[in-house]
Amino acid sequence: MAKGKRIMITGGAGFIGSNIANALCASNTVMILDNMHSGSVDNVEESKKLGAEFFKGDSGSIASTHFDPDVIFHLGIYSSTPMYRSNHKLVASVVSDAIGVFDFAAERGIPVVFASSSSIYNGHSGLHHEGLVPKVTDYYTEARIAVERLAELYASMSGLDATALRQFSIYGPHDEKKGIFGNLITQFMLSMGRGEQPVIYGDGTQARDFTYVSDVMDAYTMAAKLKGFNLLNVGRGESYTINQMIEKLNEKLGTEIQPKYIQNPLKNYVDRTEADTSKAEKVMGFRAKVNLEEGINKLYDYLLESGQLGTAAVQKNTEDKSGEAR
Ligand SMILES: NC(=O)c1ccc[n+]([C@@H]2O[C@H](COP(=O)([O-])OP(=O)(O)OC[C@H]3O[C@@H](n4cnc5c(N)ncnc54)[C@H](O)[C@@H]3O)[C@@H](O)[C@H]2O)c1
């Protein structure tokens, strides 16, 4: 992305949005709009120190910021399925916010790149490509499909440049602030670091396409240049079972913790996600760079340096270092 741009990030106090804000604010003017529903105060403070401005409000109130952006990254959308399970009226807010953002952008000719989700592929097996017809099984997914369809409508009726990024299981720094809504890699690294058994729904053979947050950030900046309406997968393009992921965490943490398997309490639980990213590669040259081992290493270093890893992992790290010294 060219430098010296004015960038609006809705949801910029959240996990992904704050990573984007922190990376871009050194060479651009960044405004964060967030209603702090699941955003973290720490993330905002960090971004503000790095130069970002902050406005508290719903994404749909974008005009109230009086910020005049060159591009909008719209991630300020309620971010987890359970939130909608307890309040399905969030679907209406998500659509209303999207209309606010798209109206604002279309009137001013500003491109919008927005967060969509791999959950749209729930119920489909095999490699997930953008041409699959969604089978809606929950309110969270319905909200994402509605926003994608609205974006396509604005593109055809008002000439809006809008790109939906269907993101696959993202993890990385600041994900830990999401607590139980965070990625399993983050949750398990923290719990296993404390010496606790990770709790797994079913037998652990379910698989996820785990994607490191810096790759997602790249996708947003690449998509900012696209014209018209685009629907693109953003994933690593390879899947690991939860059992395999736990094995890698044990290796990294130097632990031998066995998972605790329990009966799956969730309906519509997804068995496997795996992104076909060939369209994103063709349209904007996107290809995820960080593999699972590298991503786990980066997250480990971040959690260790920020003092968030428990004693089991810290002890291992100290032993490793003393081993190196000898
Ligand atoms: N993390 C993932 O694996 C993943 C996967 C697919 C899609 N997504 C989507 O990406 C986006 C960012 O996710 P995240 O993981 O950073 O989650 P997050 O909860 O950390 O970030 C979402 C941010 O948006 C804010 N927000 C929510 N609703 C808002 C509203 N109406 N107005 C203004 N701000 C609002 C929250 O306070 C929070 O700061 C979300 O839309 C999420 O659904 C995330």
Side-chain angles (χ1 to χ4, degrees), residues 1 8 22 28 45 54 69 106 246 322:
M1 184 147 179
M8 163 67 74
N22 291 356
N28 301 276
E45 288 310 317
F54 174 71
I246 285 176
S322 60

Side-chain angles (χ1 to χ4, degrees), residues 134-155:
K135 302 176 188 175
V136 188
T137 50
D138 62 275
Y139 290 105
Y140 171 84
T141 309
E142 176 53 35
R144 310 326 284 236
I145 295 171
V147 174
E148 286 185 353
R149 287 168 60 112
L150 265 176
E152 188 169 14
L153 188 65
Y154 272 79

Side-chain angles (χ1 to χ4, degrees), residues 13 28 46 138 167 172 188-189 203 215 230 253 257 265 270 275 322-323:
N28 301 276
E46 198 182 332
D138 62 275
Q167 304 166 170
F188 288 170
M189 189 179 282
D203 62 5
D215 282 324
N230 300 280
L253 296 167
I257 300 173
V270 182
S322 60

Side-chain angles (χ1 to χ4, degrees), residues 119-284:
S119 69
I120 285 179
Y121 300 118
N122 290 2
H124 286 287
S125 52
L127 208 58
H128 292 150
H129 63 84
E130 294 86 345
L132 291 170
V133 178
K135 302 176 188 175
V136 188
T137 50
D138 62 275
Y139 290 105
Y140 171 84
T141 309
E142 176 53 35
R144 310 326 284 236
I145 295 171
V147 174
E148 286 185 353
R149 287 168 60 112
L150 265 176
E152 188 169 14
L153 188 65
Y154 272 79
S156 72
M157 290 184 71
S158 321
L160 179 70
D161 295 322
T163 299
L165 299 180
R166 289 183 174 172
Q167 304 166 170
F168 283 68
S169 299
I170 322 296
Y171 66 106
H174 299 180
D175 187 29
E176 78 282 2
K177 313 259 173 54
K178 290 175 70 178
I180 57 160
F181 297 127
N183 191 281
L184 284 183
I185 293 184
T186 316
Q187 291 193 50
F188 288 170
M189 189 179 282
L190 287 169
S191 60
M192 289 167 69
R194 292 189 296 267
E196 293 165 14
Q197 277 184 288
V199 177
I200 297 183
Y201 293 163
D203 62 5
T205 56
Q206 63 273 44
R208 296 288 177 270
D209 188 336
F210 295 110
T211 310
Y212 195 70
V213 68
S214 59
D215 282 324
V216 184
M217 199 192 75
D218 287 348
Y220 273 85
T221 56
M222 288 171 177
K225 298 176 199 125
L226 299 180
K227 298 287 172 207
F229 174 69
N230 300 280
L231 195 60
L232 301 171
N233 284 343
V234 172
R236 165 73 188 157
E238 56 187 9
S239 284
Y240 287 86
T241 66
I242 304 294
N243 287 334
Q244 288 170 324
M245 181 262 278
I246 285 176
E247 230 177 272
K248 289 192 185 296
L249 289 180
N250 266 324
E251 273 167 32
K252 182 68 201 172
L253 296 167
T255 47
E256 286 178 8
I257 300 173
Q258 290 307 307
K260 185 174 166 192
Y261 297 98
I262 62 167
Q263 200 178 356
N264 190 346
L266 298 176
K267 271 198 237 162
N268 309 320
Y269 193 67
V270 182
D271 187 47
R272 184 180 187 86
T273 64
E274 186 163 355
D276 176 346
T277 55
S278 54
K279 188 174 170 201
E281 185 166 4
K282 189 167 163 227
V283 171
M284 60 178 190

Side-chain angles (χ1 to χ4, degrees), residues 171 189 252 292-302:
Y171 66 106
M189 189 179 282
K252 182 68 201 172
L292 186 60
E293 285 81 9
E294 290 161 344
I296 285 177
N297 286 343
K298 283 170 186 279
L299 182 64
Y300 177 91
D301 288 347
Y302 161 76

